[in-house]
Structures are given as structure tokens and as C-alpha cells.
Amino acid sequence: MASSSKADVTEQEEEEEIDHFNDFTLVSSWERFISEIEATCRQWMAVGPKKLLEKGAVHLDSSDNIYKVKSDLKIAAKVYSMEYYFEVSNNGKTADWNSTLHDLHLCFGVKEFLVISPQSASGVVLDAPEATKLLSTVSIALSNCSSLWPAFVPVHDPSRQSYIGIQNMGTNFTRRFEADRIGSQVPIKFMHLEGLYELFVSKFAYCTADHSMHLFKVHLRMKLTYRTLPHDEDNDNNIQEPDAENADSETSLGGDNLNRKHWDDDCPWNEWYFAEDPVKGFDLVATWSEKVVESSLEMAELENASPHEAENWILAPNLSPILSKEDRIGFASQLLLLVNALDISFGVQFVEDFVSVQTPDSDNLNSSMVIPPQAVLDHVLKDLFLEGLQLPSFAKDEHKSFQAIKGAPLESLFTQFCLHSLWFGNCNIRAIAVFWIEFVREIRWHWEESQPLPRIPANGPIDLETCLINQKLQMLAICIQKKREQNEGVDASANMEENIKGGEKSSSFHAKSQAFDGKRDSLFIPEDFNGSKTAVPKFNANSQDVHSADQSCSDSIRRGSSGPVGSMKLLKSCQSLHAPFTQSAPLMTEDMHEERLRAVEASGDSFNFSAQLERERLSSDMSAFKAANPDADFEDFIRWYSPGDWENDESATNLTEGVMDEWPPRGRLSQRMSDHGNFWRKIWVDAPILAAFEQKPLLDPNQEGEKILHHLETLRPRQLLQQMVCTAFRASADILNQTNFGSLKQMNMKMDQLYLTMASTLRSLQVNLSSNISETIEDVRRLCVVFEHVEKLVTLAASLHRKFRQEPRIAEAIFSDFYNFYLPTMEIGLADAVNEKEFDMKLQLSQDERQFVSNMFKPPTANQSWRKVLSMGNHLNGHEPILREIIFTVFDNASDSHYASVDGHDTSSSPRVNEHEIETYRMYTCGTSNDLRVALAVTSHD
């Protein structure tokens, strides 16, 4: 704050003090007080508003462009505060009453003024003589320094908001102010415009006659404020079901069905928590521009006027304070608890240790972390395993950047476990441990009973883009399916043989081929491969049936053929080369791939070593090829299996174009295949002649299933929590991303930024975290703050979109204003935010938007408790204004106005003047039927 009592005076003032001698030995304490006020005012006048801003003038949070400076003054044992309020124009625009103004600015129309009040508990002057004396003191000081600032003193009880004031207008005129408030039992007469008009007229009409019979040119401006009703959940039970015609219709407040109990019932997060509606309602401000009223009868007509006749409609949203609080319950708050659990998990070997509370922080765990009762646990497990048997669509509403976060699909079993964990026991580490143990126990039961796992596909490749636990569960689901086939006596090999004999292709085995790794030639993978059908052989088989493909070879010798491969022939026998049915490659999770990759890198000979790693797979394919082609050699297998390792001579004809002119074709094996001791040739020699249906399955479901269960049961707590954090963040963001908030570009941009931020922050948790643990945890905690910002914006965007589906411009304008208002908080975080200013937006409505907004004010029903007898006019759909503000003014003719610039002084704080008339009386009224405030300003001749 700017303090002028100790500030330096300008050189000009110093010279004036030298010219005048002040003898303070004979003056009274009040005269010294006047002198001190005068010195302070002179300094403020000399410095000016712009420099006062530089010196620390305080901006009023309740106004747009009003500032103040303060100085403490002492007289005898009392201390007073003198505050100078001034307005700084914004882009050359002066504030009107549609802007947020200071109370005295509204009451008396002044732009800059002084307020002097005692430093006491009440802050008002309770003694009337003291108030009069104090006001006179300030008036004398302002007159001495030739200032035209009005000065005010708060009086009476603070609840009355009463002021008295005075302004020196120049040489002959003085303006006096008085404001008071009736807090209850407002006279019926003053509830109506006619009574308020007559109250104002009585201030300058000195006759006792009926004012309604006289004509007075009174200038009037009026502003009415209406407020939408709050959502009354207590009345939802009384709402009847809509009929068939209106069952799908939307209400004007955004499409809620009449029988809906909560605003976000159809929002994606509603399954996990109820969000408070961030939009509590709206204020509609209807303003009438200045008009001249000559009788109380005209006021009665104006009271019956519809708000639709007002010149301007302004809509102001009432947002919930929850948007600026940190303790909001949602995904962000629960994710922070999950991160805290991750922090605790480091250093503990087994999940069971948290259940038995045998940890270094056992006392803290035992006292602050509660495990929910068994009934709650059973209910959650039922929701996971019994109500999720139907496999959902994993590709629903996925964000384009979701794969950058190594989690799991939103509807998958592990993701649902993570989401339930956020709310189970308020996400403490002990509750998570109990939940995980029971979760794994339930999975083991499904394994032992050969029951399919819910929410997990039992076919297709392992999705290596997901977290390791999800990969393990997907592989276990496949093992359970194969185990079920074994237990049910389904003989896939017999089915294939029977289908082949019947001229049909088997669907139990695939001719799918996969690359061993990137360090050797890739094997053939059909472009139109489908896991549920037989793969197309190499070079596209002819449309002929397998029995007519080669009559020279009997069906009893050739086994497991899917048909000839184009015109390819065996090198020695010149018979058609047949593509065999082969077993699918054994499925592997990410850790199995990494283990094999490390072994290959350690070997150095990537070609032969990769063949050793894939020996079972390669041997199976060779055996199937021998069964389908009894006269085949190793070179024939290479030509079909790895064409890149067969080198044709330049004169040789392309094998795919037709029958060759000479036989056998000119060609040879590549260098690596023809080397002595080649491992592939050794496998070829040792491979038995067995069709795919005659071979032992490459994947042993019993062995792999037990390995997976052992992995889940012995998983370290930090490994579990790291994957849970990544999956929970991704799932929570995916849920928010499903929210329908229209075409809000800023919201879409913020969601894109959230995914990128999560991907970069969570990347450190997707590896074996061994260093910088505390730094990583803090980064993830900061991510929770970012997530909370976005979550709040999503709920606001959803609420606005629902309320303004038919008028999207309104929703976009409100959201854009709030986004810009909230942006500094998002940049520094809620904990560091110091701006306590509330969001205050006023949106000018067009004529086309008025009817839609008017429909938001539903006619009140008889059973609503808030309803009361209407006492005021200007009703909007049965709603009376919550606030009515009127400014009455009267102007007198003056050919030689003393209110113009007097003695070169600024008249910015003076009433409206021109060459012909001056404002002599001004009355501002504000209130309702239960509350009325009146402020009167009277200009008089001295």
C-alpha cells in the first residue's frame, strides 16, 4: 500500500511550505488532524493514479478496474484509516453498472472518492456528532487543497451499510450523500416501482399533494437480475416417468431426462464417482436504458413490462467453488493416493507383508490404513469376474496417443482391477495388497476350474504394447482355452484329418508364419491372415481342390496339405509343391522376448542361434512340410519357407509365371544355408515326417499357465504398483476422453497435452526403476496436479455442453473465458495459487438466444419449498427478480452552470453537467421485497 504520511513532498510543495509559517503551538488537535489529511491528499493529487499504481496501489478483487491507497491517521487516542479509491480506465472504456463496481460507485455514481473510517471492530462511526465532525474535517482539508473528491464516512450498524458524505462542487454548490438499508419488513409501497418513484419525487417536490397527479421529468435506468433454480434432488422422487412422446426429448437445461436423479448420470466417470455440477446456475441481467418518466402511472406500466422488452440481456454463470479447491474427489485425488502407495512399496519384498503389517512402517500402516470388510471385497470381485463375462470392445473411443502409455485397454480385466483399487479402501497400500491377493486367488480358481477369464480375449496375438501383467493375463486366457479343449476331449488333430478327407480345410491349425527376429530374413506372413481361419499358402494356391492338385501322389501318403503353391514343383520329382498346415508359433510375453533377445546378443551368431531358439517351431514346420511333400528335399523347403535363401540364376524363369522350359531350374542355396554344418539342415535331417495334427503342440498350456500364476503370486509390490499407476492414469484419461463436450478446441487441445505429459512422465515407471526413485515419485505427484486441472475442465465442459446443446456459442464463450481465467492456476498449480479473485463473466446475449435462455427459467411448481408469494413485478416465467436496481435522476436548467470546471479543477467526480442542465437529485435503489437499500445524492446551493 502507498503510505503518504512519510513520503517526500515535491519541490514545489517544499517552496510553498517555506513561504508560509504554521504556528502549531496554538492550534487544536482537530486542526492538526485537518493539516495531516490535507498533506496526504496533496501528495496523492500530485502523484496521480498512474504513479500510485507503480507505488503499490491495491486492486479491488470485487471490481474490474478500481484501486485504492491507504493512509493511517491519528488524533488523540483514536486511529482512523483514510482510503483513496480511483478508477483506471480499461482500453479507454469507463465502467458502467453492468461491470463489477465498488459499492459507493453504484450508490452515488462517483469515480474517485475518499473513505475515512475508525480502526475498530465495527469499522463504522457509531456516534452521530463524531461522524458529522469527522466529515466536516475531511471536507475542510479537501477544500484547502482545492480537491473536488467526495468523501464518505460509514455510520450506524455495519449491517445497514450506511454512509454519509459530502463533496465540494466549487464556489457555490455542495453535494451531500446519504445511504441506508432496510433489512426486513420493507413497506409494501416500496416493493413496487410506483412507490419508489414517489419516494424519489418526495425529495424535491415540497408539496403535500398527490404525486401521481403531477408531472415530473424523472430520468430512470433499471436493471433486473434473475437466477435459475438450483437442482433440487429432493424432488426427483416426485417426478413422474415421461410419456412415450417425450421420453427422448431434452430439457432446455441441456438434455437431462425428467426422471434423471443426477446431472452426470450418463457421463463416463459416473460409474466410479459422482461429480458435483460445476455450473450451479445462471444469473440473467436485463437492463433498460435511460428513459424519461413523468408520472407514477408510467411506473406502474413499467412494472408490468416483460423482461423481453429490455434493451440488453446479459448472462452470468454461477460456478461452483469446487473448481478452485484442492480437496475435490475424483480420479486425480485417487491417483495421488495410488502414487503414495507406490512410494511405500519400495523396499518391501512381498505383497503379503502389507497384509500382515510386517514392514518397517508397520505402526503407521496399522493405524491409518483400513482394509474394507469382506462383504465389500466380495462385491468388487463379483463386479470384476461375474458381471464382466462378455468380452467388450477394446477399441472404443481410444485416444490417438494411448499406446504411448504402457497400460492396458480400458475394459480389460487388469484395468478394471486398477480402477476398483482407486476406490477400494481409499486406495491405501494394505487394501491394495488384500485386493491383489484375492484377485490372483480368483484367477487361480479360473485356471484350475478351466473357466474363461472375463474381459480378456482368448485368441489372437499377445498385445506387447500393454503392460506385462495384462500380457500375462492374456496368455493365461489362451492357456485356459487350450486346457478346456483338452479337458473336453476336443481332438483338434482328428478334426483336421477328417476335414481334409472330406475336402474341407481345417480351422484348428494355422499356416501362420512369423519372423524369428530382425537379424535374419523374415518368414512369410500372409497379408490376409485371420486367426480363426486357415492361412493362405505361399504364392497363392490354385482354386483346385487339394485332391485334384496332384493325382500322382496318393492321399494316403500326402498328409496335412492346404493345397499346391502356384506352379511350384519339387526339384527332384517335379510334383507340385504343397503348402502344409503348420502349428501357430508359441505365444510369448514381453519378458520372454527380452530373455531370448539377450541370449541371441550374447551368442553373437544371430542366424544359427535364432534357429536354436526356434528349434521346436522350425522342426514342426519342417515335419509338416515333409508330410505334405513326401519327395521333398531341404532345398524345396528353403524355396517355400525362406525364398531369400534360394538364389536363381539369371537365365532361370520366374517360378510364379508358369511351367519352366527346362528342369530342374537353375539355382542354389544362399551362402549361409549352404555352409558346412548349417543348423537348419541338421534340423531338417532330424525332423520326423508328421503332419501338424499329428505333432505335439508347441504350446504346453499347463506348464505356461502355472508359470504365469507363479509370476503373479510372487510379483514384488513395487512392480505391481508401477504397472497399476501407469494403467490407472491411462484408464482415467481414457474415461475422461469419452466425455461429450462438443467442439471445444481448448478442451481437445488440453486432452492431447495430457496424454503427452502422461507418456513422458510415466515412461520412467515402465522400466525397472532402481535410481532417482524420489525424484520420479515427485514427478508423478505433479502429474496428478496436472490431471486434476484437466479433470475439472472436462466436468465444466461437459456441464456446459449439456446445458447449451442448442446454443453452442454460449457454452464456448463461457468455457473460453473460464479457461483463460484458470490458465495461470494451471501453470503454477493449485497449492501455489494466490489469486483469490472469483470468476466473474458477463456474456451479452443476442436476440436469437433470448428464448433459449428464457426457457431455462422453468415455471415453479406448487410443491417446491422455495416458492413464496410474489411481491414484485417484471416476472420471467413466474420468477420475480432476485435483485432490482434503479437509478432515478432529475436535472435542472442552468444557463450559467457552476458545475463546469471551476477554478481549473477536474470535475470527473461531479454529476453529469452540460451547458443547459445539471443533475440535482440522484437516488439509487437496490433490493427485493425483503431487502431495500436507498442511496440519495442532493446538490444544493451554499
Side-chain angles (χ1 to χ4, degrees):
M1 294 185 183
S3 177
S4 59
S5 59
K6 299 180 183 292
D8 295 334
V9 294
T10 60
E11 295 181 359
Q12 181 180 357
E13 292 173 335
E14 291 177 352
E15 294 176 359
E16 292 178 356
E17 291 180 359
I18 295 174
D19 296 338
H20 298 84
F21 174 74
N22 297 322
D23 185 5
F24 287 101
T25 60
L26 302 178
V27 298
S28 65
S29 59
W30 280 99
E31 290 175 321
R32 295 192 185 95
F33 190 51
I34 293 173
S35 178
E36 188 174 355
I37 294 174
E38 180 182 342
T40 302
C41 292
R42 285 182 181 276
Q43 182 184 359
W44 286 342
M45 294 173 63
V47 172
K50 292 185 178 180
K51 290 188 177 180
L52 288 177
L53 289 178
E54 298 175 0
K55 293 187 176 183
V58 178
H59 177 258
L60 299 187
D61 293 334
S62 59
S63 63
D64 296 331
N65 55 353
I66 298 180
Y67 296 80
K68 73 172 182 179
V69 290
K70 179 181 178 182
S71 178
D72 295 336
L73 306 172
K74 186 176 181 181
I75 176 173
K78 291 186 177 182
V79 179
Y80 294 89
S81 294
M82 186 171 67
E83 297 174 328
Y84 168 50
Y85 293 83
F86 59 94
E87 180 182 292
V88 177
S89 61
N90 186 12
N91 297 327
K93 298 180 180 179
T94 57
D96 56 18
W97 71 345
N98 288 326
S99 305
T100 305
L101 303 176
H102 187 273
D103 180 54
L104 294 178
H105 195 159
L106 276 173
C107 288
F108 304 112
V110 292
K111 296 181 180 179
E112 52 182 349
F113 51 89
L114 296 177
V115 176
I116 185 166
S117 59
Q119 293 186 359
S120 61
S122 63
V124 299
V125 180
L126 300 176
D127 182 60
E130 178 188 355
T132 304
K133 188 175 184 180
L134 183 62
L135 188 62
S136 299
T137 301
V138 178
S139 176
I140 295 173
L142 292 174
S143 178
N144 290 342
C145 60
S146 302
S147 172
L148 301 182
W149 293 342
F152 299 93
V153 175
V155 294
H156 304 312
D157 186 83
S159 62
R160 292 172 59 176
Q161 301 176 350
S162 300
Y163 287 90
I164 59 173
I166 192 171
Q167 180 182 13
N168 178 24
M169 300 297 297
T171 56
N172 298 318
F173 291 87
T174 302
R175 199 178 187 207
R176 298 185 180 275
F177 309 96
E178 183 178 1
D180 208 343
R181 173 176 172 267
I182 303 176
S184 61
Q185 298 181 353
V186 177
I188 297 178
K189 180 179 181 180
F190 297 149
M191 295 179 186
H192 302 282
L193 296 182
E194 185 177 359
L196 294 175
Y197 169 82
E198 294 180 358
L199 173 65
F200 175 64
V201 171
S202 67
K203 300 301 179 181
F204 58 85
Y206 299 104
C207 64
T208 59
D210 186 4
H211 297 307
S212 62
M213 303 303 295
H214 292 75
L215 300 180
F216 301 97
K217 289 187 177 182
V218 176
H219 296 255
L220 175 143
R221 286 186 295 161
M222 184 169 66
K223 179 171 74 171
L224 303 179
T225 302
Y226 302 86
R227 178 165 296 171
T228 57
L229 298 178
H231 179 63
D232 191 0
E233 297 182 356
D234 295 335
N235 289 327
D236 284 342
N237 294 331
N238 298 327
I239 298 177
Q240 301 296 325
E241 291 290 330
D243 54 25
E245 294 180 356
N246 299 325
D248 297 330
S249 64
E250 297 175 345
T251 66
S252 60
L253 274 176
D256 291 343
N257 290 334
L258 293 177
N259 61 335
R260 183 158 294 142
K261 293 185 178 181
H262 205 267
W263 81 274
D264 62 346
D265 277 354
D266 58 355
C267 291
W269 63 77
N270 181 264
E271 180 183 356
W272 304 102
Y273 68 92
F274 291 108
E276 179 183 339
D277 193 344
V279 183
K280 307 305 293 183
F282 295 90
D283 286 351
L284 174 63
V285 179
T287 59
W288 279 260
S289 58
E290 185 172 300
K291 60 187 306 182
V292 178
V293 179
E294 296 186 350
S295 69
S296 58
L297 296 179
E298 293 184 39
M299 296 299 296
E301 294 177 0
L302 181 60
E303 186 170 338
N304 294 324
S306 168
H308 288 273
E309 300 177 13
E311 281 78 3
N312 294 303
W313 274 28
I314 296 175
L315 189 67
N318 298 322
L319 301 186
S320 171
I322 199 69
L323 290 173
S324 59
K325 293 182 179 179
E326 297 182 66
D327 55 352
R328 179 181 183 272
I329 299 300
F331 284 126
S333 62
Q334 304 309 112
L335 288 171
L336 181 59
L337 296 176
L338 185 61
V339 175
N340 294 338
L342 170 63
D343 193 17
I344 299 174
S345 68
F346 288 96
V348 180
Q349 294 295 322
F350 303 103
V351 176
E352 290 78 6
D353 292 342
F354 291 110
V355 180
S356 59
V357 203
Q358 299 299 319
T359 63
D361 297 328
S362 59
D363 294 337
N364 295 332
L365 294 179
N366 193 28
S367 61
S368 62
M369 300 183 179
V370 180
I371 299 176
Q374 185 65 35
V376 177
L377 179 60
D378 293 341
H379 176 76
V380 176
L381 291 174
K382 178 182 178 181
D383 182 72
L384 278 175
F385 288 94
L386 295 184
E387 299 179 3
L389 294 178
Q390 186 175 2
L391 191 65
S393 174
F394 289 157
K396 180 182 178 182
D397 297 330
E398 288 181 333
H399 191 271
K400 59 184 179 181
S401 303
F402 76 98
Q403 289 186 341
I405 306 169
K406 208 170 183 65
L410 178 58
E411 298 296 333
S412 65
L413 182 60
F414 181 62
T415 296
Q416 294 299 305
F417 166 82
C418 294
L419 290 173
H420 277 290
S421 298
L422 294 178
W423 313 97
F424 184 74
N426 206 24
C427 200
N428 70 77
I429 187 64
R430 292 190 64 205
I432 293 174
V434 170
F435 190 20
W436 174 253
I437 292 172
E438 293 298 323
F439 178 76
V440 175
R441 187 175 299 167
E442 190 71 21
I443 290 177
R444 176 168 283 280
W445 181 89
H446 280 71
W447 164 252
E448 293 176 350
E449 298 297 327
S450 299
Q451 296 297 316
L453 284 176
R455 309 175 187 270
I456 296 290
N459 52 19
I462 303 297
D463 188 359
L464 301 180
E465 297 294 334
T466 62
C467 64
L468 184 59
I469 293 179
N470 185 74
Q471 297 177 38
K472 295 291 185 182
L473 292 175
Q474 187 179 353
M475 189 168 183
L476 182 62
I478 297 173
C479 292
I480 291 176
Q481 179 63 27
K482 292 185 177 296
K483 184 180 177 182
R484 283 171 58 89
E485 294 176 359
Q486 293 179 354
N487 295 340
E488 295 172 1
V490 178
D491 191 349
S493 300
N495 287 342
M496 169 169 286
E497 186 175 9
E498 181 180 352
N499 290 337
I500 292 177
K501 290 180 179 180
E504 299 176 357
K505 294 185 178 181
S506 170
S507 62
S508 298
F509 292 91
H510 315 304
K512 174 185 175 183
S513 301
Q514 294 181 338
F516 292 143
D517 53 59
K519 297 186 178 181
R520 72 171 192 86
D521 291 341
S522 298
L523 302 182
F524 173 72
I525 300 179
E527 292 182 356
D528 56 350
F529 172 75
N530 188 311
S532 62
K533 297 181 180 180
T534 303
V536 179
K538 287 179 176 289
F539 301 112
N540 294 331
N542 293 333
S543 60
Q544 300 175 349
D545 188 82
V546 64
H547 292 281
S548 61
D550 191 352
Q551 298 294 339
S552 63
C553 185
S554 65
D555 294 338
S556 60
I557 298 176
R558 189 187 306 279
R559 305 186 308 280
S561 170
S562 65
V565 182
S567 59
M568 290 186 68
K569 303 290 183 180
L570 299 178
L571 293 178
K572 289 186 177 180
S573 64
C574 198
Q575 296 177 359
S576 296
L577 188 151
H578 283 243
F581 290 101
T582 59
Q583 295 193 56
S584 300
L587 301 175
M588 290 189 294
T589 56
E590 183 180 24
D591 57 339
M592 299 168 64
H593 280 287
E594 292 176 352
E595 182 180 353
R596 294 200 170 198
L597 182 60
R598 286 192 296 268
V600 170
E601 292 176 347
S603 170
D605 187 358
S606 61
F607 171 67
N608 283 332
F609 196 81
S610 63
Q612 294 180 34
L613 292 177
E614 299 286 347
R615 179 181 184 125
E616 292 183 358
R617 168 81 171 117
L618 189 57
S619 177
S620 173
D621 292 345
M622 289 180 175
S623 295
F625 186 83
K626 286 183 176 181
N629 301 277
D631 297 329
D633 287 336
F634 177 67
E635 288 78 1
D636 294 317
F637 176 77
I638 294 299
R639 291 167 58 220
W640 170 75
Y641 200 82
S642 181
D645 286 308
W646 177 260
E647 300 174 355
N648 290 318
D649 290 343
E650 294 181 358
S651 60
T653 306
N654 192 324
L655 296 178
T656 62
E657 294 181 354
V659 181
M660 297 178 297
D661 296 335
E662 58 179 295
W663 192 262
R666 299 177 183 178
R668 59 184 178 274
L669 294 174
S670 63
Q671 180 65 34
R672 66 174 185 171
M673 287 295 180
S674 58
D675 287 343
H676 178 71
N678 178 265
F679 195 74
W680 280 47
R681 185 179 291 276
K682 182 178 179 181
I683 297 176
W684 171 266
V685 173
D686 296 337
I689 303 175
L690 295 174
F693 59 83
E694 300 171 332
Q695 301 173 12
K696 177 183 177 182
L698 294 176
L699 175 65
D700 185 351
N702 294 289
Q703 181 181 4
E704 293 298 330
E706 288 296 336
K707 286 182 179 179
I708 294 171
L709 286 168
H710 177 74
H711 173 85
L712 297 178
E713 291 169 342
T714 60
L715 193 64
R716 291 192 174 186
R718 69 172 186 176
Q719 295 173 332
L720 169 63
L721 268 298
Q722 285 179 222
Q723 297 180 66
M724 285 182 64
V725 168
C726 295
T727 303
F729 265 102
R730 170 176 160 177
S732 301
D734 288 342
I735 291 175
L736 296 182
N737 189 52
Q738 294 177 4
T739 306
N740 184 10
F741 45 72
S743 58
L744 298 176
K745 296 181 180 180
Q746 292 162 313
M747 192 68 257
N748 290 318
M749 178 188 68
K750 209 63 186 176
M751 286 301 303
D752 293 341
Q753 293 176 354
L754 176 63
Y755 275 93
L756 295 176
T757 304
M758 289 194 304
S760 61
T761 305
L762 299 176
R763 188 174 294 113
S764 58
L765 294 181
Q766 297 169 185
V767 296
N768 187 13
L769 187 61
S770 58
S771 60
N772 298 327
I773 296 176
S774 59
E775 182 179 348
T776 301
I777 294 297
E778 289 304 315
D779 289 341
V780 182
R781 286 195 174 107
R782 284 190 289 270
L783 177 62
C784 294
V785 177
V786 175
F787 197 99
E788 181 178 2
H789 294 317
V790 177
E791 188 174 12
K792 289 180 178 180
L793 290 177
V794 168
T795 55
L796 175 62
S799 179
L800 291 173
H801 175 67
R802 291 163 56 84
K803 292 172 173 60
F804 297 103
R805 279 192 177 101
Q806 300 176 23
E807 297 291 344
R809 186 197 77 88
I810 300 178
E812 293 172 5
I814 295 175
F815 183 83
S816 178
D817 267 38
F818 181 81
Y819 182 87
N820 295 329
F821 168 82
Y822 194 60
L823 188 60
T825 303
M826 290 190 287
E827 293 175 348
I828 65 177
L830 286 172
D832 301 325
V834 295
N835 183 16
E836 298 180 356
K837 185 177 180 180
E838 296 182 357
F839 176 68
D840 180 34
M841 179 209 180
K842 294 178 174 60
L843 177 65
Q844 183 83 29
L845 298 178
S846 65
Q847 288 289 341
D848 297 336
E849 296 167 338
R850 287 193 180 189
Q851 187 57 49
F852 178 84
V853 174
S854 176
N855 293 338
M856 296 170 63
F857 294 84
K858 301 179 184 178
T861 58
N863 62 338
Q864 288 176 317
S865 60
W866 57 265
R867 189 177 185 185
K868 59 184 179 180
V869 178
L870 300 178
S871 305
M872 303 167 63
N874 305 113
H875 297 158
L876 177 62
N877 297 342
H879 296 259
E880 70 176 11
I882 64 166
L883 187 66
R884 179 173 60 190
E885 298 174 81
I886 305 174
I887 298 178
F888 298 96
T889 54
V890 169
F891 298 89
D892 286 344
N893 293 328
S895 58
D896 185 15
S897 175
H898 292 274
Y899 293 96
S901 180
V902 181
D903 299 331
H905 299 301
D906 182 20
T907 60
S908 61
S909 296
S910 303
R912 194 180 76 182
V913 296
N914 54 47
E915 295 180 355
H916 303 290
E917 59 182 19
I918 59 174
E919 180 186 284
T920 54
Y921 291 88
R922 182 187 193 275
M923 187 176 77
Y924 168 80
T925 66
C926 173
T928 64
S929 58
N930 297 321
D931 184 287
L932 178 63
R933 189 179 187 197
V934 178
L936 181 67
V938 180
T939 303
S940 61
H941 194 280
D942 291 343

